[in-house]
Amino acid sequence: MASLLLLFLFLFASSALSQDSLIGVNIGTEVTNMPSPTQVVALLKSQNINRVRLYDADRSMLLAFAHTGIQVIISVPNEQLLGISQSNATAANWVTRNVAAYYPATNITTIAVGSEVLTSLSNAASVLVSALKYIQAALVTANLDRQIKVSTPHSSTIILDSFPPSQAFFNKTWDPVIVPLLKFLQSTGSPLLLNVYPYFDYVQSNGVIPLDYALFQPLQANKEAVDANTLLHYTNVFDAIVDAAYFAMSYLNFTNIPIVVTESGWPSKGGPSEHDATVENANTYNSNLIQHVINKTGTPKHPGTAVTTYIYELYNEDSRPGPVSEKNWGLFNTNGTPVYTLRLAGAGAILANDTTNQTFCIAKEKVDKKMLQAALDWACGPGKVDCSALMQGESCYEPDDVVAHSTYAFNSYYQKMGKALGSCDFKGVATVTTTDPSRGTCVFPGSAKSNQTLGNNTMALAPSANSTTSGCIPKYYHHPHASFADLTLLSLLLIVALVFL
């Protein structure tokens, strides 16, 4: 029994870690008053972000990432592409200075050679694959080719006729580059890096693409886009673009190259003509995208296969040229305050971008009261939450209703579990909020008003929406009106039962 419990806990922890590792962020360079590298790392760690993409190979940043475990994509800037593509020695020198000098202390996982070269620097397209091969050869020489992958990020606009996805194909103008590029990726086990921006697809569609479809918002079944060739249903633009890339590769007979989305996001502010660049839309898109990825939803073509995705971007780049929206893709201001607080119900602490770490777990409104009661019983029973504050006459007894009592118990469990992924679910009747639910003398665990410190306790795991059993005990096991003597007796009976079982 003990070994099974330990195995279960190990699998739970492994699952949580793997989910967290699917989301990363881009760190741009066009930022006035850029925080120091140590401040950047501190922010990333506070948000449980363990993947980042840099647009260069800045020495101070790479040193700051040392011994953090954070997985880092470094980049060969476009202006260095030509030199590297023409000389094996230049590529070897670049790898020596920017990779070997920091690895393995700094967990460099990928080298992005150039950025959107085919669409933004077309005159360099002919040398792109040569640059990739030279960097790969330098890694082989340094005996780092198994640990570090080499690829190049593309704009999704290299894919033509992306809907229906099954009919998508790469712009044939680029076939002399795309085909050898895909051969290189396949031979080295590297991913296709793709920048996916439903915002631009929506804005440029002139009303053809519904806003809800771009934002991952729930759609009625008759509003979903259906690929007539495959009968696959698409509920969002992001999945359609990713699947279009998979189909475009298969059209060229490449079927085993994974896709990593190196950029995706939504601007939170725009100019007078950029009506859809709003805080609400940015929050909705990024919150839904992150939830979509960490839930390992996958795409209709590859359900259950999560697509590692890097949010564009960590900070607003206020020095970027162009329209107002170009300066406002960030999740955070440079002083570390969030531009907006993401809505990530049940996602634990990952990118719960309240930098004070003030997140709480509360009971959802308008849910079945019997389900709430069952979850409350579980939290105060097997969940091992201290529910004494809910006893009659105690500080959190009033109001005496199942929603208020469940909120206290759910949050106590959530805080006790260190806000771990899945610890605020309770079979779908709980959600994460950044609003402190404390009231009067009833101070909730995790509140800035409380001096109480709650450590992790992984000996009991809250029932999740994916549980096959209720995970709850009968309603009479815990009730706000029960006495301490009743609870003690029931606890003893439960211990005796477990011993004899």
Side-chain angles (χ1 to χ4, degrees), residues 322-375:
V324 174
S325 62
E326 280 298 300
K327 308 174 192 295
N328 290 280
W329 292 81
L331 299 175
F332 292 90
N333 299 301
T334 53
N335 64 1
T337 60
V339 177
Y340 48 84
T341 301
L342 292 165
R343 299 185 287 262
L344 298 176
I350 180 173
L351 263 171
N353 62 340
D354 173 2
T355 52
T356 63
N357 204 27
Q358 292 289 295
T359 54
F360 305 88
C361 183
I362 61 173
K364 289 182 180 178
E365 297 180 2
K366 299 179 181 178
V367 296
D368 187 273
K369 295 298 188 290
K370 291 182 179 179
M371 291 183 66
L372 272 181
Q373 182 65 57

Side-chain angles (χ1 to χ4, degrees), residues 73 191-195 258-262 307-310:
I73 296 178
L192 177 74
L193 305 183
L194 196 65
N195 296 340
I259 290 174
V260 169
V261 173
T262 35
V307 179
T308 299
T309 299
Y310 291 75

